[in-house]
Amino acid sequence: MGGTMDGTKQRRRGNTRQRIQDVALELFAEQGYEKTSLREIAERLEVTKAALYYHFKTKEEIIVSLFEDLTKPIEELIDWGRQQPHTLETKQEIVRRYSEALAGASPLFRFMQENQATVRELSIGETFKDRMLGMRDIIIDPDADLVDQVRCISALFTMHAGMFVMKDLEGDPEEKRKAILEVATDLITQAHKGA
Amino acid sequence: MGGTMDGTKQRRRGNTRQRIQDVALELFAEQGYEKTSLREIAERLEVTKAALYYHFKTKEEIIVSLFEDLTKPIEELIDWGRQQPHTLETKQEIVRRYSEALAGASPLFRFMQENQATVRELSIGETFKDRMLGMRDIIIDPDADLVDQVRCISALFTMHAGMFVMKDLEGDPEEKRKAILEVATDLITQAHKGA
Amino acid sequence: MGGTMDGTKQRRRGNTRQRIQDVALELFAEQGYEKTSLREIAERLEVTKAALYYHFKTKEEIIVSLFEDLTKPIEELIDWGRQQPHTLETKQEIVRRYSEALAGASPLFRFMQENQATVRELSIGETFKDRMLGMRDIIIDPDADLVDQVRCISALFTMHAGMFVMKDLEGDPEEKRKAILEVATDLITQAHKGA
Amino acid sequence: MGGTMDGTKQRRRGNTRQRIQDVALELFAEQGYEKTSLREIAERLEVTKAALYYHFKTKEEIIVSLFEDLTKPIEELIDWGRQQPHTLETKQEIVRRYSEALAGASPLFRFMQENQATVRELSIGETFKDRMLGMRDIIIDPDADLVDQVRCISALFTMHAGMFVMKDLEGDPEEKRKAILEVATDLITQAHKGA
DNA sequence: AATGAATGAGAATTCATTCAT
DNA sequence: AATGAATGAATTCTCATTCAT
C-alpha cells in the first residue's frame, strides 16, 4: 500500500480490454483465427477465460472490435475519396494515403490477408468486402478496358500483399513501402492514361 | 446405359479416393480448411468418416495429396525455368505458362490464397514457400533496384489473386485471364528493362 | 408529476429488494429456476449482478425469500386448521380459504407446480412437502378407504393445477376459481361421507 | 478370451443407445433435466461423453427420443378416441386405458409432471401440449357447464399426478392405481350426467 | 473397401459467486 | 447501495482419430 505501487497486478487495472485486443491480434496474425483459442489468449494475459468474456461477448466480437478500431482511417479515406473528382491526382493521393493507412494497421491487414476464408464467414466479412469495392470504385473507371481495370486491382493488391511477402527481403521497411507505393502509383497512372 | 443397374453407387467403385479429393477441395476452398470437418466431407460423399481414413492417414494428408497432385505442372515449370537463361523472353514465357498452370488448378490456388495462415502451419507450407521463392528467383534479378523487384512480385501476386478478386467482375473468364497475364507480362518487362 | 424529475430511477430508491423479487418470480415462473440466470434478472432491472448480491446472499435465497413471504397465509391456515375439529364444515372452510390463498400467490404456485424437480433439491423443498402433508392430514381421515383418500388428494391437486391448466380456457378467472373450488369441495364432501 | 464371454464390456455391444436412454430417464426423473449433465450420464455408463454424441445429436434429442418411444400408446389411444362416439362408455374406456398407459411409462410422466417449465421450452413441449388438449377434447363436452369441465380436467390431472404424490402413502401400487382410476371415472361420469 | 462404435482432447460459452472500491 | 472486474467450475458440443469386424 502506498509507495510506488507499480505492481504488475495493479498496473493491469482498467486496460485489460486493450491488452486482450493486443494479444489477440498478435496471435490471430501469427496462427490464424481458428487456431487461436481463447484459452491461449487468456493464458498469455494471465487471466482466466471468463475474464475475456467479461470484456467481449464472443470470440468473434474480439476480432470485430479490432477491425472497427483499426480500420477507421481507411473508412474515412474512402468517404473522402468518394467526394473527390476522379482525376489522376486524386487517385494518386488516395493510393498514397491508403499505403500509409495499411502500414498503420499492418498486423490486422496481415491477418485479413491470410485468413480470407475465415473472414468471409465472419460478420466483418461483408463490411470488408464493401470497403474493398469502395476503393475499387474510386480508382477504377468502369469504361476503361479490362487490362486497365486489372492494373488498378493489381495496384491495390500489391499494396495489400506486398508488405508480408517482402518480409523476408532485405531492406528497410519504410523503403520497401515506398517502392511498393511507387509500383502501385505507376499502375494507377498507366490505367488512367489508357482510358 | 443398358443393364438393370447403372447404380450411382456401383459406379463409385474404385474411385473413392478421387471423390474424396474432389469434395474436400471444394469444401476447403469454400469454407476454409479448419472450418471443414471430416464429418462434412464424409456426409457429402455418403460414406463414413472411417472410410476417409482408409484412403488417407490424416486430414492433413488429404490437402497434401491435393497439393502434390495439382501442383506438379508448376514444379516442372520451375525446374525448366531454372535451366533457361534469364532473358526477357524466358521470363515472359514462364509467366505465360504460370498463368496457364494456375488456371488449371484454380480451386487449389484459391484455397492457398485464402488460407495462408493455415497453410503456413501445414507441412505443405514449406514446400509452397520454396516454390514461390523458386519462381521469384527465376524472374527477379537480384541486382535490380527495389522498385523493379516489387514489380516482379506484383506480377506474381496479380496472377495469384487476380482470378478470385475478379470473380464478381463481368466478363468471360478466359478473357480476364488474358488481361491479367498482360498486366503481369508488362510488369515483368518493365522490371527487366529497368535493370 | 410536478417537479423537474419524477425520475424512474429516483423512485426506485429503497425498494430494490422488492423489485428483485418481482422480476425474479416473473422469470422463474416463465422459464423455470435453472434457466433463469442472475444476469437476466439484473439486466431487466438495469442493475449489475453484484447488486443482487447486496440484497440476497445466493440465488437460492431469492426463491426462498419469495416462498417465505408469499406462503405465510397458507402456513397460518394450516396452523389454524390443525386446531379445529375435523368436521366436514371445517374441511370445507379450509378448502375455501386455501383456494383464496393460492389465488393470492398464483405465480409462485405456478412456479412450484412446474418446477417440482428443482424445488425438491432446494431448501424450500422439505418445507413445501411438510406443508402439503399438513394440509393432507387435516383433510384426509386416515381410516377412510383408499378411494376417499384419493378424492382428497385430488381435491388439493385440482386447486393447485387448475388455474394454470385452465389458462387457455375461455372465461373469467374468478369464475373459474369458483368452479374449481366447487369441484374440490364436492370431492372433499364425498370423501367425508364415505368415511 | 474365448470361453463364456459374458464380459461386461462385450455385453454392451449394440445396446448402448438403449442403455443411454435408460440411465438418462432415471436421472432426468430423479434430478430434473437441467440438473442432469451429460457427464453424469456418461460416467454412470462408464463411457465417454463423446459416446453419447455418437448416439444422440444433442442432449435434447435424448429426451425427445424417450418421449417418442414411450408415448406411442397414448398417441394411439387418442387417435382411437377421436373416432369413437362421445358416449359415457367411451369416455370411461378411454380413462381406463389412459390410466394403464400412464402406468406403463410412469418415470417419463413423473419427469414431464415435475419439469413442466423445462419441457415447455423443449421441442416436445408443443407435442405434449397438443396431446393433452387432444385428451381434453375427447373427454370434455364443450357445451357442459364450467364445473363439469373442471371435473374432467381434474380427472386427467388426478391420473397424472396421483402416482407420484401417493408414492409415500402405504399400499400396493396397483391398488392405488385402481383407486385413482375410480376417482377419475367418477368425475367423468358426474360430468357426463351433468350435461 | 468400408462400417459402427467409441475415445481423448479441446473448443466456446455460461454461471453463480466474490471482493475491493 | 451498488459497481467493475474477475474467477473457478461446469456445461454442451465438436473434432480428428482409432480399431475390431
Side-chain angles (χ1 to χ4, degrees), chain C residues 30 34 110 114 116-117 120 136 151 154 157-158 161 169 186, chain D residues 30 34 110 114 116-117 120 136 147 151 154 157-158 165 169 186:
Chain C
E30 206 177 291
E34 356 255 346
R110 181 183 165 200
E114 293 185 344
Q116 291 173 66
R120 211 186 319 130
R136 203 174 73 178
R151 280 204 175 89
S154 178
F157 242 117
T158 297
L169 229 65
D186 251 37
Chain D
E30 204 177 293
E34 355 253 348
R110 180 183 165 200
E114 295 187 343
Q116 288 173 71
R120 208 184 323 127
R136 204 175 72 177
V147 174
R151 282 204 174 91
S154 178
F157 231 72
T158 298
V165 177
L169 227 67
D186 251 38

PDB file of all heavy atoms in Angstrom, chain C residues 30 34 110 114 116-117 120 136 151 154 157-158 161 169 186, chain D residues 30 34 110 114 116-117 120 136 147 151 154 157-158 165 169 186:
ATOM      1  N   GLU C  30     -41.858 -18.080 -15.563  1.00  0.00           N
ATOM      2  CA  GLU C  30     -41.947 -18.138 -17.012  1.00  0.00           C
ATOM      3  C   GLU C  30     -41.020 -19.194 -17.614  1.00  0.00           C
ATOM      4  O   GLU C  30     -41.410 -19.968 -18.481  1.00  0.00           O
ATOM      5  CB  GLU C  30     -41.562 -16.763 -17.562  1.00  0.00           C
ATOM      6  CG  GLU C  30     -42.127 -16.406 -18.905  1.00  0.00           C
ATOM      7  CD  GLU C  30     -41.710 -14.989 -19.241  1.00  0.00           C
ATOM      8  OE1 GLU C  30     -42.201 -14.040 -18.568  1.00  0.00           O
ATOM      9  OE2 GLU C  30     -40.863 -14.826 -20.136  1.00  0.00           O
ATOM     10  N   GLU C  34     -33.665 -22.847 -13.127  1.00  0.00           N
ATOM     11  CA  GLU C  34     -32.302 -23.003 -13.631  1.00  0.00           C
ATOM     12  C   GLU C  34     -32.085 -22.244 -14.933  1.00  0.00           C
ATOM     13  O   GLU C  34     -30.973 -21.792 -15.198  1.00  0.00           O
ATOM     14  CB  GLU C  34     -31.936 -24.473 -13.858  1.00  0.00           C
ATOM     15  CG  GLU C  34     -32.974 -25.482 -13.458  1.00  0.00           C
ATOM     16  CD  GLU C  34     -32.567 -26.173 -12.169  1.00  0.00           C
ATOM     17  OE1 GLU C  34     -31.402 -26.040 -11.789  1.00  0.00           O
ATOM     18  OE2 GLU C  34     -33.418 -26.825 -11.565  1.00  0.00           O
ATOM     19  N   ARG C 110     -47.604 -21.402  -9.470  1.00  0.00           N
ATOM     20  CA  ARG C 110     -47.327 -21.900 -10.815  1.00  0.00           C
ATOM     21  C   ARG C 110     -45.870 -22.381 -10.860  1.00  0.00           C
ATOM     22  O   ARG C 110     -45.574 -23.465 -11.364  1.00  0.00           O
ATOM     23  CB  ARG C 110     -47.532 -20.783 -11.845  1.00  0.00           C
ATOM     24  CG  ARG C 110     -47.271 -21.268 -13.244  1.00  0.00           C
ATOM     25  CD  ARG C 110     -47.399 -20.166 -14.278  1.00  0.00           C
ATOM     26  NE  ARG C 110     -46.796 -20.603 -15.537  1.00  0.00           N
ATOM     27  CZ  ARG C 110     -46.406 -19.792 -16.499  1.00  0.00           C
ATOM     28  NH1 ARG C 110     -46.579 -18.492 -16.375  1.00  0.00           N
ATOM     29  NH2 ARG C 110     -45.870 -20.274 -17.595  1.00  0.00           N
ATOM     30  N   GLU C 114     -44.610 -26.189 -11.561  1.00  0.00           N
ATOM     31  CA  GLU C 114     -43.928 -26.514 -12.823  1.00  0.00           C
ATOM     32  C   GLU C 114     -42.439 -26.799 -12.645  1.00  0.00           C
ATOM     33  O   GLU C 114     -41.746 -27.086 -13.604  1.00  0.00           O
ATOM     34  CB  GLU C 114     -44.113 -25.357 -13.825  1.00  0.00           C
ATOM     35  CG  GLU C 114     -45.558 -25.201 -14.259  1.00  0.00           C
ATOM     36  CD  GLU C 114     -45.712 -24.145 -15.340  1.00  0.00           C
ATOM     37  OE1 GLU C 114     -44.771 -23.336 -15.545  1.00  0.00           O
ATOM     38  OE2 GLU C 114     -46.762 -24.135 -15.989  1.00  0.00           O
ATOM     39  N   GLN C 116     -41.203 -28.751  -9.880  1.00  0.00           N
ATOM     40  CA  GLN C 116     -41.116 -29.617  -8.709  1.00  0.00           C
ATOM     41  C   GLN C 116     -39.761 -30.280  -8.569  1.00  0.00           C
ATOM     42  O   GLN C 116     -39.219 -30.387  -7.474  1.00  0.00           O
ATOM     43  CB  GLN C 116     -42.199 -30.682  -8.776  1.00  0.00           C
ATOM     44  CG  GLN C 116     -43.587 -30.112  -8.582  1.00  0.00           C
ATOM     45  CD  GLN C 116     -44.659 -31.163  -8.817  1.00  0.00           C
ATOM     46  OE1 GLN C 116     -44.779 -32.118  -8.080  1.00  0.00           O
ATOM     47  NE2 GLN C 116     -45.414 -30.982  -9.883  1.00  0.00           N
ATOM     48  N   ALA C 117     -39.210 -30.720  -9.686  1.00  0.00           N
ATOM     49  CA  ALA C 117     -37.922 -31.408  -9.618  1.00  0.00           C
ATOM     50  C   ALA C 117     -36.871 -30.481  -9.015  1.00  0.00           C
ATOM     51  O   ALA C 117     -36.058 -30.893  -8.187  1.00  0.00           O
ATOM     52  CB  ALA C 117     -37.492 -31.874 -11.004  1.00  0.00           C
ATOM     53  N   ARG C 120     -37.589 -29.642  -5.202  1.00  0.00           N
ATOM     54  CA  ARG C 120     -37.241 -30.748  -4.325  1.00  0.00           C
ATOM     55  C   ARG C 120     -35.793 -30.656  -3.837  1.00  0.00           C
ATOM     56  O   ARG C 120     -35.490 -30.969  -2.706  1.00  0.00           O
ATOM     57  CB  ARG C 120     -37.466 -32.065  -5.056  1.00  0.00           C
ATOM     58  CG  ARG C 120     -37.862 -33.192  -4.106  1.00  0.00           C
ATOM     59  CD  ARG C 120     -37.945 -34.520  -4.797  1.00  0.00           C
ATOM     60  NE  ARG C 120     -38.569 -34.424  -6.111  1.00  0.00           N
ATOM     61  CZ  ARG C 120     -38.046 -34.946  -7.217  1.00  0.00           C
ATOM     62  NH1 ARG C 120     -36.875 -35.566  -7.183  1.00  0.00           N
ATOM     63  NH2 ARG C 120     -38.685 -34.838  -8.370  1.00  0.00           N
ATOM     64  N   ARG C 136     -52.868 -32.302   3.947  1.00  0.00           N
ATOM     65  CA  ARG C 136     -53.418 -33.628   3.746  1.00  0.00           C
ATOM     66  C   ARG C 136     -53.971 -34.193   5.067  1.00  0.00           C
ATOM     67  O   ARG C 136     -55.073 -34.727   5.109  1.00  0.00           O
ATOM     68  CB  ARG C 136     -52.332 -34.541   3.206  1.00  0.00           C
ATOM     69  CG  ARG C 136     -52.862 -35.723   2.455  1.00  0.00           C
ATOM     70  CD  ARG C 136     -51.743 -36.508   1.821  1.00  0.00           C
ATOM     71  NE  ARG C 136     -50.987 -37.240   2.827  1.00  0.00           N
ATOM     72  CZ  ARG C 136     -49.969 -38.051   2.530  1.00  0.00           C
ATOM     73  NH1 ARG C 136     -49.562 -38.168   1.276  1.00  0.00           N
ATOM     74  NH2 ARG C 136     -49.346 -38.705   3.473  1.00  0.00           N
ATOM     75  N   ARG C 151     -59.662 -39.044  -3.293  1.00  0.00           N
ATOM     76  CA  ARG C 151     -60.545 -37.899  -3.535  1.00  0.00           C
ATOM     77  C   ARG C 151     -59.977 -36.627  -2.900  1.00  0.00           C
ATOM     78  O   ARG C 151     -59.996 -35.558  -3.506  1.00  0.00           O
ATOM     79  CB  ARG C 151     -61.935 -38.174  -2.964  1.00  0.00           C
ATOM     80  CG  ARG C 151     -62.761 -39.053  -3.871  1.00  0.00           C
ATOM     81  CD  ARG C 151     -64.268 -38.884  -3.680  1.00  0.00           C
ATOM     82  NE  ARG C 151     -64.960 -39.701  -4.687  1.00  0.00           N
ATOM     83  CZ  ARG C 151     -65.299 -40.985  -4.511  1.00  0.00           C
ATOM     84  NH1 ARG C 151     -65.076 -41.581  -3.360  1.00  0.00           N
ATOM     85  NH2 ARG C 151     -65.880 -41.637  -5.505  1.00  0.00           N
ATOM     86  N   SER C 154     -56.932 -35.518  -4.721  1.00  0.00           N
ATOM     87  CA  SER C 154     -57.390 -34.962  -5.990  1.00  0.00           C
ATOM     88  C   SER C 154     -57.924 -33.553  -5.802  1.00  0.00           C
ATOM     89  O   SER C 154     -57.687 -32.669  -6.634  1.00  0.00           O
ATOM     90  CB  SER C 154     -58.460 -35.888  -6.568  1.00  0.00           C
ATOM     91  OG  SER C 154     -58.946 -35.364  -7.763  1.00  0.00           O
ATOM     92  N   PHE C 157     -55.017 -31.244  -5.475  1.00  0.00           N
ATOM     93  CA  PHE C 157     -54.318 -31.109  -6.746  1.00  0.00           C
ATOM     94  C   PHE C 157     -55.100 -30.307  -7.753  1.00  0.00           C
ATOM     95  O   PHE C 157     -54.552 -29.554  -8.559  1.00  0.00           O
ATOM     96  CB  PHE C 157     -54.009 -32.481  -7.320  1.00  0.00           C
ATOM     97  CG  PHE C 157     -52.550 -32.651  -7.427  1.00  0.00           C
ATOM     98  CD1 PHE C 157     -51.892 -33.621  -6.702  1.00  0.00           C
ATOM     99  CD2 PHE C 157     -51.804 -31.791  -8.229  1.00  0.00           C
ATOM    100  CE1 PHE C 157     -50.527 -33.724  -6.771  1.00  0.00           C
ATOM    101  CE2 PHE C 157     -50.445 -31.911  -8.298  1.00  0.00           C
ATOM    102  CZ  PHE C 157     -49.809 -32.878  -7.569  1.00  0.00           C
ATOM    103  N   THR C 158     -56.378 -30.494  -7.696  1.00  0.00           N
ATOM    104  CA  THR C 158     -57.239 -29.752  -8.612  1.00  0.00           C
ATOM    105  C   THR C 158     -57.045 -28.251  -8.381  1.00  0.00           C
ATOM    106  O   THR C 158     -56.927 -27.469  -9.320  1.00  0.00           O
ATOM    107  CB  THR C 158     -58.690 -30.156  -8.392  1.00  0.00           C
ATOM    108  OG1 THR C 158     -58.825 -31.531  -8.708  1.00  0.00           O
ATOM    109  CG2 THR C 158     -59.625 -29.328  -9.256  1.00  0.00           C
ATOM    110  N   ALA C 161     -53.330 -27.184  -9.586  1.00  0.00           N
ATOM    111  CA  ALA C 161     -53.031 -27.173 -11.011  1.00  0.00           C
ATOM    112  C   ALA C 161     -54.081 -26.433 -11.816  1.00  0.00           C
ATOM    113  O   ALA C 161     -53.790 -25.850 -12.854  1.00  0.00           O
ATOM    114  CB  ALA C 161     -52.910 -28.606 -11.513  1.00  0.00           C
ATOM    115  N   LEU C 169     -58.493 -21.782 -21.287  1.00  0.00           N
ATOM    116  CA  LEU C 169     -59.938 -21.933 -21.406  1.00  0.00           C
ATOM    117  C   LEU C 169     -60.569 -20.546 -21.299  1.00  0.00           C
ATOM    118  O   LEU C 169     -60.140 -19.720 -20.492  1.00  0.00           O
ATOM    119  CB  LEU C 169     -60.444 -22.818 -20.266  1.00  0.00           C
ATOM    120  CG  LEU C 169     -61.370 -23.966 -20.674  1.00  0.00           C
ATOM    121  CD1 LEU C 169     -60.589 -24.954 -21.541  1.00  0.00           C
ATOM    122  CD2 LEU C 169     -61.916 -24.662 -19.437  1.00  0.00           C
ATOM    123  N   ASP C 186     -66.765 -30.560  -3.525  1.00  0.00           N
ATOM    124  CA  ASP C 186     -67.512 -31.783  -3.821  1.00  0.00           C
ATOM    125  C   ASP C 186     -66.718 -33.029  -3.438  1.00  0.00           C
ATOM    126  O   ASP C 186     -67.243 -33.932  -2.788  1.00  0.00           O
ATOM    127  CB  ASP C 186     -67.747 -31.849  -5.335  1.00  0.00           C
ATOM    128  CG  ASP C 186     -69.194 -31.613  -5.671  1.00  0.00           C
ATOM    129  OD1 ASP C 186     -69.808 -30.771  -4.993  1.00  0.00           O
ATOM    130  OD2 ASP C 186     -69.681 -32.289  -6.597  1.00  0.00           O
TER     131      ASP C 186
ATOM    132  N   GLU D  30     -35.143 -38.211 -11.614  1.00  0.00           N
ATOM    133  CA  GLU D  30     -34.685 -38.053 -10.242  1.00  0.00           C
ATOM    134  C   GLU D  30     -34.300 -36.611  -9.923  1.00  0.00           C
ATOM    135  O   GLU D  30     -34.684 -36.053  -8.904  1.00  0.00           O
ATOM    136  CB  GLU D  30     -33.470 -38.960 -10.051  1.00  0.00           C
ATOM    137  CG  GLU D  30     -33.174 -39.384  -8.638  1.00  0.00           C
ATOM    138  CD  GLU D  30     -31.977 -40.329  -8.662  1.00  0.00           C
ATOM    139  OE1 GLU D  30     -32.099 -41.459  -9.202  1.00  0.00           O
ATOM    140  OE2 GLU D  30     -30.912 -39.921  -8.184  1.00  0.00           O
ATOM    141  N   GLU D  34     -32.244 -30.193 -16.383  1.00  0.00           N
ATOM    142  CA  GLU D  34     -31.081 -29.303 -16.424  1.00  0.00           C
ATOM    143  C   GLU D  34     -30.023 -29.693 -15.402  1.00  0.00           C
ATOM    144  O   GLU D  34     -28.843 -29.472 -15.639  1.00  0.00           O
ATOM    145  CB  GLU D  34     -31.466 -27.841 -16.190  1.00  0.00           C
ATOM    146  CG  GLU D  34     -32.929 -27.553 -16.072  1.00  0.00           C
ATOM    147  CD  GLU D  34     -33.430 -26.865 -17.318  1.00  0.00           C
ATOM    148  OE1 GLU D  34     -32.587 -26.430 -18.126  1.00  0.00           O
ATOM    149  OE2 GLU D  34     -34.638 -26.789 -17.488  1.00  0.00           O
ATOM    150  N   ARG D 110     -43.603 -38.948 -14.667  1.00  0.00           N
ATOM    151  CA  ARG D 110     -43.132 -38.244 -13.480  1.00  0.00           C
ATOM    152  C   ARG D 110     -42.241 -37.081 -13.934  1.00  0.00           C
ATOM    153  O   ARG D 110     -42.388 -35.953 -13.482  1.00  0.00           O
ATOM    154  CB  ARG D 110     -42.332 -39.183 -12.572  1.00  0.00           C
ATOM    155  CG  ARG D 110     -41.850 -38.486 -11.353  1.00  0.00           C
ATOM    156  CD  ARG D 110     -41.000 -39.391 -10.483  1.00  0.00           C
ATOM    157  NE  ARG D 110     -40.275 -38.570  -9.517  1.00  0.00           N
ATOM    158  CZ  ARG D 110     -39.193 -38.962  -8.884  1.00  0.00           C
ATOM    159  NH1 ARG D 110     -38.721 -40.188  -9.083  1.00  0.00           N
ATOM    160  NH2 ARG D 110     -38.584 -38.163  -8.039  1.00  0.00           N
ATOM    161  N   GLU D 114     -42.953 -33.096 -13.366  1.00  0.00           N
ATOM    162  CA  GLU D 114     -42.120 -32.342 -12.426  1.00  0.00           C
ATOM    163  C   GLU D 114     -41.189 -31.358 -13.111  1.00  0.00           C
ATOM    164  O   GLU D 114     -40.431 -30.648 -12.449  1.00  0.00           O
ATOM    165  CB  GLU D 114     -41.299 -33.319 -11.571  1.00  0.00           C
ATOM    166  CG  GLU D 114     -42.167 -34.181 -10.666  1.00  0.00           C
ATOM    167  CD  GLU D 114     -41.336 -35.018  -9.725  1.00  0.00           C
ATOM    168  OE1 GLU D 114     -40.119 -35.197  -9.972  1.00  0.00           O
ATOM    169  OE2 GLU D 114     -41.892 -35.503  -8.724  1.00  0.00           O
ATOM    170  N   GLN D 116     -42.270 -29.347 -15.905  1.00  0.00           N
ATOM    171  CA  GLN D 116     -43.095 -28.708 -16.928  1.00  0.00           C
ATOM    172  C   GLN D 116     -42.467 -27.446 -17.497  1.00  0.00           C
ATOM    173  O   GLN D 116     -42.525 -27.196 -18.693  1.00  0.00           O
ATOM    174  CB  GLN D 116     -44.462 -28.371 -16.343  1.00  0.00           C
ATOM    175  CG  GLN D 116     -45.331 -29.586 -16.121  1.00  0.00           C
ATOM    176  CD  GLN D 116     -46.607 -29.225 -15.377  1.00  0.00           C
ATOM    177  OE1 GLN D 116     -47.491 -28.583 -15.910  1.00  0.00           O
ATOM    178  NE2 GLN D 116     -46.687 -29.646 -14.141  1.00  0.00           N
ATOM    179  N   ALA D 117     -41.859 -26.676 -16.642  1.00  0.00           N
ATOM    180  CA  ALA D 117     -41.255 -25.431 -17.112  1.00  0.00           C
ATOM    181  C   ALA D 117     -40.177 -25.736 -18.156  1.00  0.00           C
ATOM    182  O   ALA D 117     -40.076 -25.066 -19.183  1.00  0.00           O
ATOM    183  CB  ALA D 117     -40.638 -24.663 -15.949  1.00  0.00           C
ATOM    184  N   ARG D 120     -41.706 -27.255 -21.459  1.00  0.00           N
ATOM    185  CA  ARG D 120     -42.353 -26.232 -22.281  1.00  0.00           C
ATOM    186  C   ARG D 120     -41.373 -25.611 -23.289  1.00  0.00           C
ATOM    187  O   ARG D 120     -41.728 -25.329 -24.418  1.00  0.00           O
ATOM    188  CB  ARG D 120     -42.945 -25.152 -21.395  1.00  0.00           C
ATOM    189  CG  ARG D 120     -44.142 -24.480 -22.021  1.00  0.00           C
ATOM    190  CD  ARG D 120     -44.675 -23.331 -21.184  1.00  0.00           C
ATOM    191  NE  ARG D 120     -44.598 -23.576 -19.766  1.00  0.00           N
ATOM    192  CZ  ARG D 120     -44.024 -22.755 -18.886  1.00  0.00           C
ATOM    193  NH1 ARG D 120     -43.477 -21.626 -19.300  1.00  0.00           N
ATOM    194  NH2 ARG D 120     -44.006 -23.049 -17.599  1.00  0.00           N
ATOM    195  N   ARG D 136     -58.343 -33.824 -23.709  1.00  0.00           N
ATOM    196  CA  ARG D 136     -59.386 -32.962 -23.171  1.00  0.00           C
ATOM    197  C   ARG D 136     -60.589 -32.901 -24.098  1.00  0.00           C
ATOM    198  O   ARG D 136     -61.727 -33.024 -23.663  1.00  0.00           O
ATOM    199  CB  ARG D 136     -58.803 -31.557 -22.995  1.00  0.00           C
ATOM    200  CG  ARG D 136     -59.526 -30.749 -21.962  1.00  0.00           C
ATOM    201  CD  ARG D 136     -58.841 -29.437 -21.745  1.00  0.00           C
ATOM    202  NE  ARG D 136     -59.037 -28.540 -22.883  1.00  0.00           N
ATOM    203  CZ  ARG D 136     -58.574 -27.273 -22.910  1.00  0.00           C
ATOM    204  NH1 ARG D 136     -57.853 -26.813 -21.888  1.00  0.00           N
ATOM    205  NH2 ARG D 136     -58.805 -26.520 -23.940  1.00  0.00           N
ATOM    206  N   VAL D 147     -68.231 -26.068 -14.258  1.00  0.00           N
ATOM    207  CA  VAL D 147     -67.912 -27.018 -13.187  1.00  0.00           C
ATOM    208  C   VAL D 147     -67.671 -28.411 -13.748  1.00  0.00           C
ATOM    209  O   VAL D 147     -66.720 -29.102 -13.355  1.00  0.00           O
ATOM    210  CB  VAL D 147     -69.044 -27.036 -12.133  1.00  0.00           C
ATOM    211  CG1 VAL D 147     -68.793 -28.132 -11.110  1.00  0.00           C
ATOM    212  CG2 VAL D 147     -69.144 -25.689 -11.438  1.00  0.00           C
ATOM    213  N   ARG D 151     -64.348 -30.772 -13.715  1.00  0.00           N
ATOM    214  CA  ARG D 151     -64.336 -32.178 -13.287  1.00  0.00           C
ATOM    215  C   ARG D 151     -63.498 -33.024 -14.244  1.00  0.00           C
ATOM    216  O   ARG D 151     -62.725 -33.870 -13.812  1.00  0.00           O
ATOM    217  CB  ARG D 151     -65.762 -32.727 -13.252  1.00  0.00           C
ATOM    218  CG  ARG D 151     -66.516 -32.289 -12.025  1.00  0.00           C
ATOM    219  CD  ARG D 151     -67.654 -33.225 -11.651  1.00  0.00           C
ATOM    220  NE  ARG D 151     -68.207 -32.768 -10.379  1.00  0.00           N
ATOM    221  CZ  ARG D 151     -69.223 -31.881 -10.252  1.00  0.00           C
ATOM    222  NH1 ARG D 151     -69.809 -31.397 -11.322  1.00  0.00           N
ATOM    223  NH2 ARG D 151     -69.615 -31.514  -9.047  1.00  0.00           N
ATOM    224  N   SER D 154     -59.885 -32.215 -13.876  1.00  0.00           N
ATOM    225  CA  SER D 154     -59.469 -32.762 -12.593  1.00  0.00           C
ATOM    226  C   SER D 154     -59.217 -34.266 -12.714  1.00  0.00           C
ATOM    227  O   SER D 154     -58.259 -34.798 -12.155  1.00  0.00           O
ATOM    228  CB  SER D 154     -60.546 -32.479 -11.551  1.00  0.00           C
ATOM    229  OG  SER D 154     -60.181 -33.032 -10.322  1.00  0.00           O
ATOM    230  N   PHE D 157     -55.938 -34.769 -14.394  1.00  0.00           N
ATOM    231  CA  PHE D 157     -54.848 -34.371 -13.529  1.00  0.00           C
ATOM    232  C   PHE D 157     -54.633 -35.332 -12.380  1.00  0.00           C
ATOM    233  O   PHE D 157     -53.507 -35.585 -11.974  1.00  0.00           O
ATOM    234  CB  PHE D 157     -55.133 -32.975 -12.984  1.00  0.00           C
ATOM    235  CG  PHE D 157     -53.960 -32.129 -13.210  1.00  0.00           C
ATOM    236  CD1 PHE D 157     -53.664 -31.709 -14.485  1.00  0.00           C
ATOM    237  CD2 PHE D 157     -53.102 -31.815 -12.176  1.00  0.00           C
ATOM    238  CE1 PHE D 157     -52.545 -30.969 -14.723  1.00  0.00           C
ATOM    239  CE2 PHE D 157     -51.974 -31.080 -12.423  1.00  0.00           C
ATOM    240  CZ  PHE D 157     -51.701 -30.654 -13.690  1.00  0.00           C
ATOM    241  N   THR D 158     -55.730 -35.843 -11.909  1.00  0.00           N
ATOM    242  CA  THR D 158     -55.639 -36.828 -10.827  1.00  0.00           C
ATOM    243  C   THR D 158     -54.813 -38.025 -11.286  1.00  0.00           C
ATOM    244  O   THR D 158     -53.952 -38.514 -10.555  1.00  0.00           O
ATOM    245  CB  THR D 158     -57.055 -37.264 -10.429  1.00  0.00           C
ATOM    246  OG1 THR D 158     -57.751 -36.122  -9.949  1.00  0.00           O
ATOM    247  CG2 THR D 158     -57.009 -38.334  -9.354  1.00  0.00           C
ATOM    248  N   VAL D 165     -47.630 -38.408  -6.195  1.00  0.00           N
ATOM    249  CA  VAL D 165     -47.999 -37.834  -4.912  1.00  0.00           C
ATOM    250  C   VAL D 165     -48.230 -38.938  -3.896  1.00  0.00           C
ATOM    251  O   VAL D 165     -47.957 -38.780  -2.713  1.00  0.00           O
ATOM    252  CB  VAL D 165     -49.264 -36.981  -5.065  1.00  0.00           C
ATOM    253  CG1 VAL D 165     -49.697 -36.447  -3.715  1.00  0.00           C
ATOM    254  CG2 VAL D 165     -49.017 -35.860  -6.040  1.00  0.00           C
ATOM    255  N   LEU D 169     -47.598 -42.878   0.318  1.00  0.00           N
ATOM    256  CA  LEU D 169     -48.736 -43.474   1.004  1.00  0.00           C
ATOM    257  C   LEU D 169     -48.545 -44.993   1.015  1.00  0.00           C
ATOM    258  O   LEU D 169     -48.112 -45.558   0.010  1.00  0.00           O
ATOM    259  CB  LEU D 169     -50.027 -43.121   0.245  1.00  0.00           C
ATOM    260  CG  LEU D 169     -51.178 -42.608   1.107  1.00  0.00           C
ATOM    261  CD1 LEU D 169     -50.798 -41.253   1.693  1.00  0.00           C
ATOM    262  CD2 LEU D 169     -52.443 -42.471   0.264  1.00  0.00           C
ATOM    263  N   ASP D 186     -65.317 -41.625 -11.749  1.00  0.00           N
ATOM    264  CA  ASP D 186     -66.403 -40.923 -11.060  1.00  0.00           C
ATOM    265  C   ASP D 186     -66.580 -39.501 -11.580  1.00  0.00           C
ATOM    266  O   ASP D 186     -67.697 -39.070 -11.874  1.00  0.00           O
ATOM    267  CB  ASP D 186     -66.042 -40.817  -9.581  1.00  0.00           C
ATOM    268  CG  ASP D 186     -66.918 -41.713  -8.743  1.00  0.00           C
ATOM    269  OD1 ASP D 186     -67.217 -42.830  -9.228  1.00  0.00           O
ATOM    270  OD2 ASP D 186     -67.287 -41.295  -7.628  1.00  0.00           O
TER     271      ASP D 186
END
